[in-house]
Structures are given as structure tokens and as C-alpha cells.
């Protein structure tokens, strides 16, 4: 018995009503649509069915077998929170915790929701330092529950500070007669004591920064603390100063894209938009680059992973297996150490963000992780910095609403600098090589869109200290996104959409590698703005191979039902590859 209404809405209408929202939406050449769940209201008593557990597949965080100190930092029901202040709480490290050294600190976000609601982007900050960027799951009438755990050990210096700090969470949620979902949330922290002096579960020594400087907007605010980048010329950032004894610096950047750029990888070139008078349709082509600038000079680039939020493409794909990165959005590290020579002058500098080809809106902020020399002031010099030009080539070939667009891009960035500290004089060479290819086809009068996109990221950091062997850190990332989206208007207010999506990444570091691939296929039949039928089938293969442990999971679902789910922890029996 389908009693649900309005699974489809014109996106732009909503944009005017609620600017700044993260909406689930779907691309379609003539209109831009979005949807929540094509949900069936159960005719039986809702309270009988247990809530559905939603999850994102990832390797569990390894923690020592000791009882952690724990703290519930925040408990809140997020009803109509759009345009209101973030929810604040006072955070102090738990006084009753008898330990002082920790090998692991874990943040846990637990939430329940019932009814109908869109996917909402949210952020969690401590003293302006972002700890988690995430997207809510879309509820169903019988209720859902989900839990996100994140290893936040790298924020130890902040979390263990002996003072009261402001913890904040912003979700722009909207409640009305149709969208009834209130998010009931608990945020907790778990502090796992160090078990052994050496070789404990914790990260390598020196991997936790001594000081973290946030690049986000200050409270009070009636919004998230992130900066909002609205177009390709928009630049947002902040002035900052660093102490005179820094010997290592890494910038961690949080990025999410919304509204007209939620599906940036599917945006056709502006020429196509103009020629076809699709004035309300997002354009600027499918290439985006987040640039980080120091005192006005570009020092790093991020070509982001295509995170699909929980209502994207076909919302049924992501129930209950959420899209890769949707519950814990990826962050991107930019090595700042070579530039320390410029920053150690005791003066203020500017760090800023921009997005090539951006359309409204990108939410960006960052944390500068600094390692301090406890004995002396440090000195440094930037020896070399080169940012190669962005090389973009595109082939645009269309007639009316049908056509093919191929966009390719490459960029190389390198910087070298030395830093003299009580650990010696260390030279750091950082290089970033990026490449991108997107091929998009529009057919059937623009009703059929296919997108095939690949991004390659090659990051190398090489440090050289006289008298010791050089240390290298290499990271190779590949991001894959393929989509087939076929919309057919069947007349009399009826339509059928068939969508297939393949989404994934490979990440190879010196000692470990991850392969993570999702495939979704399904369809939605719509009649008079009502989804009358639909299927979302998803399968996922996640494989982690590390020096000490392995983890793999092979899972699939159809609509809300898990079809199969196999987890393996033994390196020898993990699923091939
Ligand atoms: C935090 O503590 C201060 C001082 O005790 C108090 O005034 C404030 O209301 C508290 N804030 C929250 C969000 O509880
Ligand atoms: C959060 O959810 C997880 C998974 O269901 C559960 O193990 C954990 O105990 C929950 N935490 C709290 C504080 O309720
Ligand atoms: C949050 O914590 C409260 C109190 O422990 C508990 O009653 C509630 O079920 C929790 N909610 C979630 C979503 O974990
Ligand atoms: C924390 O700060 C308070 C007040 O400044 C001080 O009395 C206390 O000893 C400090 N605790 C630790 C563990 O440093
Ligand atoms: C870009 O966005 C900024 C910030 O909102 C605004 O001031 C500027 O006018 C916009 N530029 C264009 C070309 O729209
Ligand atoms: C677009 O609009 C212009 C002016 O209104 C019109 O001349 C042109 O034919 C339109 N093009 C298409 C493809 O509809
Ligand atoms: C930082 O940028 C602001 C605005 O562009 C400018 O006024 C200020 O002088 C800059 N500061 C430095 C240290 O470059
Ligand atoms: C979509 O996925 C299904 C199932 O994997 C497959 O049978 C079908 O051929 C795919 N369609 C396209 C156009 O890729
Ligand atoms: C989805 O999976 C179900 C169960 O395996 C299958 O019966 C159905 O044909 C699949 N639908 C599509 C569109 O692939
Ligand atoms: C999948 O869910 C949709 C929406 O709730 C429903 O219309 C459809 O009948 C379900 N399909 C299957 C095969 O269970």
C-alpha cells in the first residue's frame, strides 16, 4: 500500500526555498531532479518492525583489548536545525580517567531516525578543528539506526588538553509535514590506554601532531563552521601564525560538494547548456580541483573522490549499504613542511581555498597539524617550488541534446625545503602528480547519460636527514566512477529510470593497500510524482592488505535486504587480489 508522496521534486525550486541544503538529487538533462526514498508506508504497526541497520563498509578500527575510558560528549535530537546555531557542548577530557597515555582514541556517532527525510551533510568540530564530515542516512517509516566510528587519535593533542573546549555539530535539517525525520544522535569518545611501551596498537611515534590550527569559520554562526565556496573565483581562508619551533607541518583538508555541484562529475560543458537553453541546469563541465594557497600562491591540489550521498542517483542503492565515503568523507593531506622556512618568521600568513570551475556550493575547511621541537627554535628554507600549469584538453561534440564530451587533465606540483631542528637538518621533497579523465555521453535526446571517470593521485614525500637513511612515503590513489542513467518519459505523468553505478578507489601506500568497489543497479518507476515501484541492488567488495593484518568484506543487498555478507580476516583466505 503505497501512501508516500513527492519522491521527486524540482531541485531548483527547493534551492530557492532552502539555500545551503545538501539534497539528494538526480541528474536529468532537462530538469534536475532529486528524490528521497520511494518509500512504502507499512500498513502494519510500524513499531513492530525493528529499525534497519545502515552501514558503510570499511575496515574496523583496531583497538587494544583493554577497557577504554569513555565519554558521551553530546546527546541531541536534530529536528528543524537548518539556519540555526550548531549544537554546542562543553568538552573536557574525562577527569575520572586514570590513564594519561593513549594508543587509540575513537569517535562514535550513533543515530536513529524514523519517517521520511533527505540526506543531510553534517560536520563535527572541536575548538573549530573538524573531526568528522559525514552524511546522514535516509530513514524509512519503520526506523533506521546507524553508527559511524572514526579513529581520531591524530587529534590527541586537542582531545587531551586540560581545558574546557567547545564541541559543535551542525546538520541543516528541515522538518515539515512531508519530511518528518528527526535525527536522534549520541556522540561518544573512547580513550584506549597504551598497553605496551613499544610496538603498541597506536600509530608510529611522532605521528600525532603537537598542535592543530583550525582553518574554519568562528562561532557564533548559524551554519556549519566550513567555508562556503560559491563559484570559480571565490577564495576563502584565514590568517594564521605558527610557533617558532615547528619542524613538520601537514594540512588536512575536508571537502564536500552540494547543490549545483553535488554531481560535478556529471555536469556537461557550458556550451551544451547554452546551446540548448538549459539555463537552470548545472554546467562548467565535469572537472573540479580544490586548490590550497599560501599567501596567494598555489601550494597543493586536491582532485576529490566522487562521494555519493545517501539519496544520490537511486536512493535504494544505499539502503542499507551506504556509498563509499558517505558516512566518513575522505580528507586530503597536503605536505607543508617544505614551506616552513616562510612561515617561521613569527608573522601572519594567509591560507586559502578555491575550487576550479566551482558552482554553488563547496564546503571546505582544514586543520594544520604541527609538530614542535621541544628544545629549540627551528629554522628553514624553501629551496624550490613549482606548480605546473593545469593541462586540460576537452573534446566537445554535440548536436542538440545528444553528444559526447571527453575531458582530460593533468597537474604536477613539487616543493623542496629544509628545516633545521634539534633532530638535525632535514630536507623534505614533496611531489603531487595528478591525472584525470572523464568521458560523458548524452543520448536519447539527453535522456540517457553515461559518465566514465578516472582520477589518479600520486603523492611522494621524501625526507633526508644527514647520517641516516632517507625516508619515503608514497601514496598512489585511483578513483573510479562510472554511471549509466536512463530516463524515459512514458507519458501521462509516468516515467521509468534505469541507473547503474560503479564507484570505487584503490589506495596503495608503502606497506598496505585497499581496494574498495561498489556496484549498484536498479530502476525506479514514477507515476504522478510518486514512485510506484523500484529496485536498488548493490554489491561491494572491500579488501585491505596490511603488513600485520588483512580484512575483506564481500556484501550485497537488494532493496533493504542483505543477500550475502562474508567477512574474512585471514590474509591467506582474503578474496584474491
Ligand atoms: C559551557 O560552560 C559554560 C561555563 O560553565 C556555560 O556558561 C555554558 O552554558 C556551557 N555551554 C554549554 C553548551 O553547555
Ligand atoms: C553505538 O552503536 C554501536 C553499534 O550498534 C554499539 O556497539 C555502541 O554500544 C553504541 N554506543 C552507545 C553509546 O550507545
Ligand atoms: C543515546 O543515549 C541514550 C542514553 O544512554 C539512549 O537512551 C539512546 O538510545 C541513545 N541513542 C542512540 C541513537 O544511540
Ligand atoms: C589541569 O588544570 C588544572 C587547573 O589549571 C590543574 O589544577 C590540574 O593539575 C591540571 N591537570 C593536569 C592533569 O595537568
Ligand atoms: C562568486 O562568489 C563570491 C562570494 O559569494 C561573490 O562575491 C562573487 O560575486 C561571485 N562571483 C561571480 C562571478 O558570481
Ligand atoms: C534558445 O533560445 C533562443 C532565444 O530565446 C532561441 O533563438 C533558440 O532557438 C533556442 N534554442 C533552442 C535549442 O531551443
Ligand atoms: C591576508 O589576506 C588579507 C585579505 O586578502 C590581506 O588583507 C592581508 O594583508 C593578508 N595577510 C598576509 C600576511 O598576507
Ligand atoms: C546494468 O547492470 C545490470 C546488472 O549488473 C546489467 O545486467 C546491465 O547490462 C547494466 N546496464 C548497463 C547499461 O550497463
Ligand atoms: C536485483 O536483485 C534481485 C535479487 O537477486 C533480482 O531478483 C533482481 O532481478 C535484481 N534487479 C535488477 C534490476 O538487477
Ligand atoms: C523495493 O523498494 C521499493 C520502494 O520501497 C518498492 O516499491 C519495491 O516494491 C521493492 N522491490 C522489491 C523487489 O522488493
Amino acid at each position: 500500500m503505497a501512501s508516500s508522496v513527492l519522491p521527486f521534486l524540482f531541485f531548483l525550486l527547493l534551492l530557492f526555498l532552502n539555500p545551503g541544503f545538501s539534497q539528494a538529487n538526480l541528474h536529468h538533462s532537462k530538469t534536475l531532479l532529486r528524490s528521497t526514498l520511494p518509500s512504502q508506508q507499512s500498513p502494519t504497526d510500524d513499531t513492530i518492525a525493528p529499525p534497519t541497520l545502515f552501514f558503510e563498509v570499511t575496515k574496523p578500527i583496531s583497538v587494544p583489548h583493554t577497557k577504554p575510558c569513555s565519554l558521551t560528549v553530546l546527546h541531541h535530537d536534530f529536528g528543524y536545525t537548518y539556519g540555526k546555531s550548531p549544537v554546542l557542548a562543553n568538552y573536557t577530557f574525562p577527569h575520572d580517567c586514570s590513564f594519561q597515555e593513549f594508543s587509540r582514541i575513537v569517535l562514535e556517532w550513533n543515530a536513529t531516525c524514523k519517517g521520511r527525510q533527505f540526506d543531510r551533510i553534517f560536520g563535527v568540530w572541536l575548538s573549530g578543528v573538524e573531526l568528522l564530515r559525514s552524511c546522514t542516512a535516509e530513514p524509512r517509516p519503520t526506523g533506521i539506526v546507524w553508527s559511524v566510528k572514526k579513529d581520531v587519535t591524530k587529534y590527541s593533542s586537542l582531545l587531551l588538553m586540560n581545558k574546557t573546549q567547545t564541541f559543535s555539530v551542525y546538520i541543516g535539517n528541515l522538518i515539515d509535514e512531508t519530511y518528518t525525520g528527526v535525527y536522534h544522535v549520541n556522540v561518544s569518545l573512547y580513550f584506549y590506554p597504551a598497553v605496551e611501551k613499544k610496538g603498541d596498537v597506536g600509530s608510529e611515534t611522532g605521528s600525532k601532531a603537537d598542535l592543530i590550527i583550525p582553518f574554519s569559520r568562528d562561532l557564533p554562526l548559524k551554519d556549519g563552521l566550513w567555508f562556503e565556496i560559491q563559484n570559480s573565483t571565490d577564495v576563502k581562508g584565514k590568517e594564521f601564525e605558527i610557533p617558532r619551533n615547528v619542524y613538520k607541518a601537514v594540512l588536512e583538508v575536508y571537502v564536500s560538494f552540494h547543490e549545483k555541484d553535488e554531481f560535478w562529475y556529471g555536469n556537461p560543458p557550458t556550451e551544451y547548456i547554452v546551446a540548448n537553453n538549459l539555463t537552470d541546469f548545472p554546467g562548467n563541465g565535469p572537472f573540479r580541483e580544490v586548490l590550497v594557497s599560501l599567501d596567494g600562491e598555489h601550494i597543493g591540489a586536491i582532485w576529490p573522490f566522487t562521494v555519493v550521498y545517501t539519496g544520490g542517483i537511486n536512493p535504494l542503492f544505499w539502503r542499507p549499504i551506504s556509498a563509499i565515503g558517505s558516512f566518513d568523507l575522505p580528507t586530503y593531506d597536503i605536505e607543508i613542511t617544505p614551506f616552513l622556512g616562510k612561515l617561521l618568521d613569527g608573522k601572519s600568513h594567509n591560507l586559502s581555498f578555491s575550487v576550479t570551475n566551482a558552482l554553488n556550493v563547496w564546503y571546505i575547511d582544514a586543520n594544520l597539524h604541527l609538530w614542535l621541537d621541544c628544545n629549540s627554535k627551528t629554522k628553514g628554507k624553501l629551496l624550490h617550488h613549482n606548480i605546473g600549469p593545469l593541462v586540460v584538453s576537452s573534446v566537445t561534440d554535440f548536436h542538440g541534446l545528444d553528444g559526447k564530451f571527453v575531458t582530460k587533465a593533468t597537474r604536477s606540483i613539487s616543493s623542496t625545503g629544509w628545516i633545521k631542528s634539534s633532530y638535525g637538518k632535514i630536507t623534505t621533497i614533496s611531489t603531487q602528480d595528478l591525472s584525470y579523465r572523464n568521458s560523458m555521453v548524452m543520448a536519447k535526446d539527453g535522456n540517457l547519460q553515461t559518465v566514465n571517470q578516472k582520477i589518479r593521485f600520486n603523492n611522494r614525500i621524501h625526507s633526508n636527514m644527514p647520517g641516516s637513511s632517507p625516508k619515503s612515503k608514497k601514496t598512489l590513489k585511483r578513483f573510479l566512477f562510472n554511471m549509466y542513467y536512463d530516463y524515459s518519459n512514458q507519458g501521462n505523468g509516468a516515467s521509468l529510470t534505469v541507473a547503474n553505478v560503479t564507484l570505487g578507489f584503490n589506495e596503495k601506500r608503502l606497506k598496505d593497500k585497499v581496494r574498495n568497489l561498489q556496484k549498484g543497479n536498479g530502476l525506479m518507476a514514477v507515476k504522478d510524482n510518486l514512485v510506484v515501484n523500484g529496485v536498488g541492488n548493490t554489491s561491494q567488495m572491500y579488501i585491505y592488505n596490511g603488513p600485520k593484518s588483512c580484512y575483506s568484506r564481500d556484501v550485497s543487498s537488494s532493496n533493504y535486504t542483505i543477500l550475502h555478507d562474508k567477512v574474512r580476516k585471514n590474509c591467506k583466505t582474503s578474496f584474491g587480489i
Side-chain angles (χ1 to χ4, degrees):
M1 251 224 0
S3 64
S4 81
V5 286
L6 278 188
F8 279 96
L9 278 178
F10 282 96
F11 174 61
L12 285 164
L13 178 69
L14 221 106
L15 206 70
F16 286 121
L17 292 174
N18 303 297
F21 265 78
S22 155
Q23 306 295 358
N25 58 25
L26 302 169
H27 267 148
H28 176 237
S29 64
K30 285 171 192 154
T31 52
L32 186 57
L33 306 169
R34 60 166 207 159
S35 79
T36 58
L37 166 67
S39 79
Q40 76 285 22
Q41 208 84 40
S42 165
T44 55
D45 187 353
D46 284 352
T47 55
I48 294 169
T52 311
L53 174 68
F54 282 37
F55 58 93
E56 183 187 332
V57 173
T58 185
K59 183 169 78 83
I61 302 165
S62 69
V63 293
H65 299 288
T66 45
K67 194 175 179 300
C69 295
S70 69
L71 176 71
T72 298
V73 189
L74 186 135
H75 169 78
H76 193 80
D77 301 324
F78 290 85
Y80 200 122
T81 49
Y82 176 72
K84 299 202 173 145
S85 162
V87 173
L88 307 178
N90 283 326
Y91 166 82
T92 356
F93 175 73
H95 295 296
D96 54 351
C97 184
S98 54
F99 307 103
Q100 255 143 49
E101 301 265 318
F102 301 93
S103 59
R104 196 66 91 204
I105 307 176
V106 175
L107 177 102
E108 181 188 66
W109 167 280
N110 280 10
T112 60
C113 190
K114 201 171 179 176
R116 186 184 296 117
Q117 196 49 267
F118 284 103
D119 48 355
R120 309 292 188 195
I121 196 76
F122 69 89
V124 175
W125 294 265
L126 180 61
S127 293
V129 169
E130 185 156 358
L131 304 178
L132 173 71
R133 179 81 56 96
S134 183
C135 173
T136 60
E138 288 190 358
R140 63 190 301 195
T142 51
I144 62 161
V145 56
W146 83 99
S147 177
V148 182
K149 286 194 178 71
K150 180 168 174 183
D151 183 350
V152 290
T153 317
K154 65 176 161 189
Y155 306 106
S156 290
S157 62
L158 193 70
L159 291 161
L160 303 180
M161 240 181 226
N162 182 19
K163 69 167 196 193
T164 301
Q165 304 179 70
T166 303
F167 191 90
S168 48
V169 176
Y170 182 79
I171 304 182
N173 195 27
L174 174 93
I175 301 286
D176 62 16
E177 282 169 11
T178 314
Y179 300 102
T180 53
V182 172
Y183 294 104
H184 306 280
V185 177
N186 289 336
V187 184
S188 312
L189 282 165
Y190 298 90
F191 301 84
Y192 290 88
V195 272
E196 296 156 41
K197 282 261 153 60
K198 262 190 177 175
D200 59 34
V201 196
S203 17
E204 306 134 45
T205 38
S207 68
K208 291 175 256 176
D210 302 301
L211 177 68
I212 305 171
I213 299 180
F215 290 86
S216 59
R217 291 191 292 174
D218 296 329
L219 292 167
L221 265 179
K222 292 191 165 160
D223 203 340
L225 278 66
W226 43 57
F227 294 112
E228 299 183 0
I229 307 282
Q230 295 176 341
N231 57 48
S232 57
T233 53
D234 203 357
V235 180
K236 297 275 163 69
K238 224 173 187 175
E239 270 195 35
F240 72 109
E241 266 172 48
I242 63 165
R244 314 279 306 249
N245 58 337
V246 176
Y247 69 89
K248 179 180 161 170
V250 176
L251 186 76
E252 176 196 32
V253 186
Y254 280 82
V255 171
S256 62
F257 27 82
H258 309 283
E259 298 180 26
K260 285 197 160 183
D261 258 356
E262 179 173 347
F263 299 102
W264 51 269
Y265 39 86
N267 286 11
T270 303
E271 299 146 80
Y272 173 88
I273 305 286
V274 171
N276 289 298
N277 289 344
L278 301 169
T279 42
D280 291 339
F281 198 78
N284 280 10
F287 175 74
R288 299 291 180 275
E289 173 182 56
V290 178
L291 282 166
V292 176
S293 307
L294 181 63
D295 296 332
E297 194 181 350
H298 300 322
I299 57 161
I302 295 157
W303 295 9
F305 179 68
T306 50
V307 177
V308 177
Y309 306 123
T310 56
I313 303 171
N314 175 347
L316 283 167
F317 288 161
W318 320 121
R319 295 144 196 268
I321 306 174
S322 204
I324 295 173
S326 58
F327 283 173
D328 181 5
L329 270 82
T331 58
Y332 306 86
D333 286 348
I334 306 281
E335 185 65 41
I336 303 293
T337 311
F339 299 95
L340 282 176
K342 289 181 121 189
L343 302 177
L344 288 164
D345 56 3
K347 296 190 179 137
S348 319
H349 294 270
N350 273 331
L351 191 86
S352 58
F353 311 97
S354 59
V355 183
T356 307
N357 298 333
L359 289 178
N360 198 27
V361 62
W362 287 65
Y363 293 162
I364 299 180
D365 62 25
N367 305 320
L368 182 60
H369 295 249
L370 300 173
W371 283 257
L372 307 178
D373 190 323
C374 36
N375 300 316
S376 64
K377 281 190 181 175
T378 54
K379 253 168 74 178
K381 189 166 192 218
L382 176 67
L383 298 174
H384 155 94
H385 171 59
N386 183 54
I387 175 154
L390 177 67
V391 181
V392 187
S393 74
S394 57
V395 177
T396 296
D397 177 16
F398 65 93
H399 303 282
L401 287 159
D402 291 350
K404 182 167 182 182
F405 316 102
V406 178
T407 313
K408 293 182 193 171
T410 56
R411 168 94 91 182
S412 260
I413 303 172
S414 67
S415 46
T416 307
W418 57 256
I419 188 94
K420 219 188 226 166
S421 69
S422 58
Y423 307 109
K425 183 176 172 184
I426 302 172
T427 301
T428 304
I429 307 167
S430 161
T431 57
Q432 280 193 288
D433 286 311
L434 302 122
S435 70
Y436 162 99
R437 186 181 195 278
N438 180 296
S439 154
M440 192 188 310
V441 176
M442 297 287 197
K444 287 175 60 181
D445 249 352
N447 286 308
L448 172 63
Q449 185 185 28
T450 61
V451 176
N452 293 285
Q453 181 175 289
K454 273 193 186 122
I455 293 177
R456 260 176 81 105
F457 240 77
N458 197 345
N459 279 4
R460 288 178 308 263
I461 295 153
H462 184 88
S463 356
N464 219 341
M465 184 155 72
S468 77
S469 54
K471 271 191 200 160
S472 269
K473 211 173 115 185
K474 281 188 202 172
T475 314
L476 183 66
K477 294 186 197 181
R478 284 169 204 238
F479 300 159
L480 177 77
F481 180 86
N482 294 332
M483 182 181 77
Y484 171 91
Y485 193 85
D486 184 1
Y487 170 90
S488 14
N489 189 338
Q490 306 195 310
N492 289 326
S495 71
L496 183 70
T497 302
V498 176
N500 278 13
V501 65
T502 303
L503 175 74
F505 71 85
N506 285 357
E507 187 169 336
K508 225 168 138 177
R509 287 174 294 254
L510 218 53
K511 290 180 184 155
D512 59 2
K513 56 183 178 188
V514 183
R515 275 180 173 238
N516 195 357
L517 193 71
Q518 269 182 331
K519 287 184 184 177
N521 69 79
L523 47 92
M524 288 191 290
V526 176
K527 171 88 175 141
D528 297 331
N529 289 333
L530 204 114
V531 172
V532 287
N533 206 347
V535 189
N537 287 352
T538 303
S539 63
Q540 183 166 7
M541 181 71 100
Y542 177 100
I543 301 168
Y544 169 84
N545 277 304
K548 287 183 195 149
S549 70
C550 293
Y551 177 86
S552 48
R553 187 164 180 184
D554 178 356
V555 59
S556 70
S557 66
S558 180
N559 270 11
Y560 287 95
T561 308
I562 296 290
L563 299 179
H564 83 275
D565 189 357
K566 282 192 190 124
V567 173
R568 295 184 191 173
K569 291 176 184 158
N570 184 323
C571 292
K572 281 186 181 148
T573 63
S574 78
F575 306 94
I577 315 171

